[in-house]
């Protein structure tokens, strides 16, 4: 009788434990995503403000993608991939802003800033490309899993807003590229650098004249950093 009662008690205990154990489904995966967002003080729509934290968060999301779920793995992957693309895009955009106002033509510009502007343009183009990939992924997620997308606030409306944001970034980059190439060609900018090198370095006239645009840019950047 005692053995029978022990068996019954064991069965009841196992049933209770099984009932309390959380199923590793889509909702469970989203809870893990929310924990990461909480850790970095972000949401699905916001991101860390510096490259170091973005890279740390990126690594953690890539690890989280390995999470094994009993069901809901595909919609979970959509959310993870969407977040990763946006983090990568944000990383590139922050990098594009490292030269401040010297990286855009909006508030006036000089030809000396040509390499900074074009570097920023390239990074902003890459940022927008990642962003448009995120938009496409989000729209596909909404088509295939509308309920799951709605549950995490990733609606078609969010896709439209995101698309508009990256359109502005991409369009501004194109405008900057067109403006700097129109008014400050490679040859014209090289002439300006050569003139400055004559004043600020001991390089011979022959050496200065032989410099390519890229070589002149490197020397000019070194002089700028030394000032």
């Amino acid at each position: 009788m005692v053995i029978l009662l022990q068996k019954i008690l064991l069965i009841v205990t196992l049933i209770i434990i099984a009932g309390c154990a959380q199923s590793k489904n889509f909702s469970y995966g989203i809870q893990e995503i929310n924990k990461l967002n909480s850790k970095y003080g972000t949401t699905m729509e916001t991101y860390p403000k510096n490259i170091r934290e973005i890279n740390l968060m990126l690594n953690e999301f890539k690890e989280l993608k390995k999470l094994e779920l009993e069901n809901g793995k595909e919609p979970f992957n959509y959310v993870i991939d969407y977040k990763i693309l946006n983090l990568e895009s944000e990383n590139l955009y922050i990098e594009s802003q490292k030269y401040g106002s010297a990286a855009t033509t909006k508030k006036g510009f000089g030809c000396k800033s040509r390499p900074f502007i074009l570097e920023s343009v390239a990074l902003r183009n890459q940022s927008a490309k990642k962003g448009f990939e995120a938009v496409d992924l989000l729209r596909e997620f909404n088509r295939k899993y509308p309920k799951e997308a709605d549950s995490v606030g990733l609606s078609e409306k969010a896709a439209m807003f995101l698309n508009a944001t990256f359109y502005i970034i991409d369009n501004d980059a194109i405008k900057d590229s067109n403006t700097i190439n129109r008014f400050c060609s490679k040859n014209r900018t090289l002439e300006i650098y050569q003139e400055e090198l004559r004043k600020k370095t001991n390089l011979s006239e022959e050496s200065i004249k032989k410099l390519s645009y890229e070589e002149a840019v490197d020397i000019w950047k070194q002089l700028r950093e030394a000032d």
Side-chain angles (χ1 to χ4, degrees), residues 107-206:
K107 296 180 179 179
F109 63 94
C111 289
K112 291 179 186 178
S113 295
R114 174 188 164 89
F116 298 149
I117 292 169
L118 292 181
E119 182 180 334
S120 174
V121 163
L123 289 165
R124 281 180 281 160
N125 284 338
Q126 292 174 53
S127 173
K129 183 179 178 181
K130 288 284 185 182
F132 291 136
E133 287 179 32
V135 171
D136 290 341
L137 190 73
L138 182 51
R139 285 174 172 162
E140 185 177 316
F141 182 35
N142 271 274
R143 286 195 301 271
K144 294 181 71 173
Y145 299 99
K147 183 179 178 181
E148 287 83 351
D150 186 62
S151 72
V152 291
L154 297 178
S155 64
E156 178 62 29
K157 184 177 180 181
M160 290 174 62
F161 177 78
L162 196 67
N163 190 66
T165 299
F166 287 114
Y167 173 80
I168 291 170
I169 291 172
D170 194 46
N171 196 50
D172 283 349
I174 291 170
K175 286 180 179 178
D176 278 343
S177 178
N178 289 340
T179 299
I180 200 68
N181 282 315
R182 178 183 176 189
F183 292 101
C184 301
S185 67
K186 268 190 176 185
N187 289 339
R188 173 60 186 142
T189 307
L190 175 58
E191 290 171 0
I192 293 171
Y193 287 151
Q194 287 172 328
E195 189 59 35
E196 187 157 345
L197 296 181
R198 290 186 181 99
K199 297 176 182 177
K200 294 186 176 182
T201 72
N202 294 321
L203 291 172
S204 67
E205 181 65 21
E206 184 180 359

Side-chain angles (χ1 to χ4, degrees), residues 78-115:
Y78 270 103
V79 180
I80 290 285
D81 289 341
Y82 170 78
K83 186 72 175 184
I84 287 173
L85 282 168
N86 275 288
L87 283 167
E88 290 173 341
S89 174
E90 186 71 9
N91 199 340
L92 289 163
Y93 184 76
I94 291 174
E95 183 70 14
S96 78
Q97 302 301 299
K98 66 183 177 182
Y99 297 120
S101 60
T104 180
T105 63
K106 280 187 175 181
K107 296 180 179 179
F109 63 94
C111 289
K112 291 179 186 178
S113 295
R114 174 188 164 89

